[in-house]
Amino acid sequence: IEQLGSAVTGWNIGDAVAVQSNLSCGVCEFCQRGEESVCLRGELLGVSRDGGFAELVAVPASALVKMPTGLDFNASAALTLAGSTAMHMLTNRSQVRAGDWVLVMGGASGVGSAAIQIAKQLGAHVISTGSTEAKRRLAFQLGAEYVVDSSDANWPTAIRKITNRRGVDLVVEHVGGDVLVKCFDCLARNGTIVTCGATAGREVTLNLWPIFVKQQRLIGSYGRNRADIQATLEWAAAGKIAPVIDFIYPLAETQVAFDRLRSRNVLGKLLINP
Ligand SMILES: [Zn+2]
């Protein structure tokens, strides 16, 4: 913290903080319950107001999360958004029991790389997917027991084979489109798909029959609560999860970083460090 507003209490100049990028109003019924991710007047930092590709950014004090000692800013930057999104999906929107089979789509992505580690810490057997050899290798290194090639259209068959046709208890999904539909093909009875994104398509056709016959659930997850960021950073400081940082760019090379993101060959996170 470089500077404090006159009405701010509880924070000091020099405090090391992470920022919740989904700004919340702090007064609506959801905010009052600590469910800022569904705030009625939520705002996105960097979308509806100036964001973090800068040396300094002004944010409401309610968006701050104290960084635990032992964590550096690069690790915090890599985990505060993507890692806490996975934490919200796995510990708030759904539950993982020890021994559960959890399928993490796109294990080399920001959300996926954190989800593998969190599910593993919660005692799950983790299966993941990756479209390239390098991405699949990373998913293995992060703790996945099996990693399936998602560029093979029959990947759900591979998942069913791994689980002896039983299917998985939980799918961490953030791709959308046809991928989401196929996730139902590898879901066990009483299984849950939790989804936080749909870059591959927002509209799908779903067969509702297996959803009620197999008592399955499709659960939405949006962003995170401050509590999820706190938990993510504490887990990282305790060594339970590690950030996956592909490359750190200076502010002047922000465009280069975006070009690399679009090339889809990034492992984990790209950081901008002004
Ligand atoms: Zn609110």
Side-chain angles (χ1 to χ4, degrees):
I1 296 177
E2 289 279 335
Q3 221 177 312
L4 289 171
S6 57
V8 174
T9 56
W11 296 98
N12 297 303
I13 288 171
D15 282 351
V17 293
V19 173
Q20 157 73 299
S21 56
N22 292 53
L23 304 178
S24 54
C25 76
V27 294
C28 75
E29 60 168 307
F30 300 102
C31 282
Q32 288 190 26
R33 291 202 297 258
E35 296 169 6
E36 302 99 10
S37 60
V38 280
C39 170
L40 293 174
R41 285 173 288 276
E43 246 191 306
L44 280 177
L45 194 62
V47 177
S48 54
R49 53 194 281 173
D50 286 343
F53 293 147
E55 291 87 351
L56 298 168
V57 59
V59 297
S62 60
L64 300 179
V65 175
K66 203 175 180 78
M67 269 172 55
T69 40
L71 199 70
D72 65 42
F73 281 109
N74 286 335
S76 168
L79 289 168
T80 292
L81 192 130
S84 65
T85 299
M87 186 65 84
H88 189 61
M89 294 173 88
L90 286 162
T91 64
N92 179 289
R93 301 299 296 143
S94 64
Q95 276 78 43
V96 176
R97 296 158 304 186
D100 276 357
W101 284 89
V102 175
L103 169 62
V104 176
M105 299 306 298
S109 64
V111 171
S113 59
I116 290 174
Q117 299 178 74
I118 294 167
K120 193 84 192 163
Q121 282 289 334
L122 294 169
H125 299 287
V126 180
I127 306 173
S128 192
T129 69
S131 57
T132 67
E133 183 58 42
K135 289 178 178 180
R136 291 191 288 275
R137 203 177 316 127
L138 173 61
F140 270 123
Q141 285 164 0
L142 293 170
E145 290 173 35
Y146 300 89
V147 185
V148 166
D149 182 357
S150 54
S151 67
D152 178 346
N154 287 326
W155 61 263
T157 309
I159 308 281
R160 291 178 58 78
K161 198 176 282 178
I162 291 166
T163 58
N164 286 323
R165 294 198 299 159
R166 174 188 179 275
V168 299
D169 301 289
L170 180 67
V171 183
V172 176
E173 219 294 274
H174 50 98
V175 182
D178 187 41
V179 171
L180 173 76
V181 177
K182 285 182 168 180
C183 285
F184 278 98
D185 294 338
C186 20
L187 193 60
R189 281 153 203 269
N190 280 337
T192 299
I193 297 173
V194 57
T195 177
C196 74
T199 42
R202 293 181 179 183
E203 291 184 21
V204 296
T205 303
L206 275 185
N207 179 357
L208 297 178
W209 174 256
I211 294 185
F212 55 80
V213 170
K214 296 182 183 175
Q215 299 194 151
Q216 296 169 330
R217 277 174 287 248
L218 175 60
I219 293 181
S221 186
Y222 184 66
R224 67 214 61 80
N225 300 330
R226 280 181 73 251
D228 299 307
I229 298 180
Q230 195 81 61
T232 304
L233 299 184
E234 279 165 12
W235 281 36
K240 293 165 80 175
I241 54 173
V244 180
I245 299 170
D246 183 304
F247 200 77
I248 302 173
Y249 293 90
L251 189 57
E253 287 178 29
T254 301
Q255 193 55 52
V256 180
F258 273 101
D259 290 343
R260 268 216 59 206
L261 269 185
R262 290 192 188 95
S263 76
R264 295 170 49 98
N265 65 355
V266 174
L267 297 176
K269 297 293 287 181
L270 300 178
L271 302 188
I272 308 291
N273 193 336

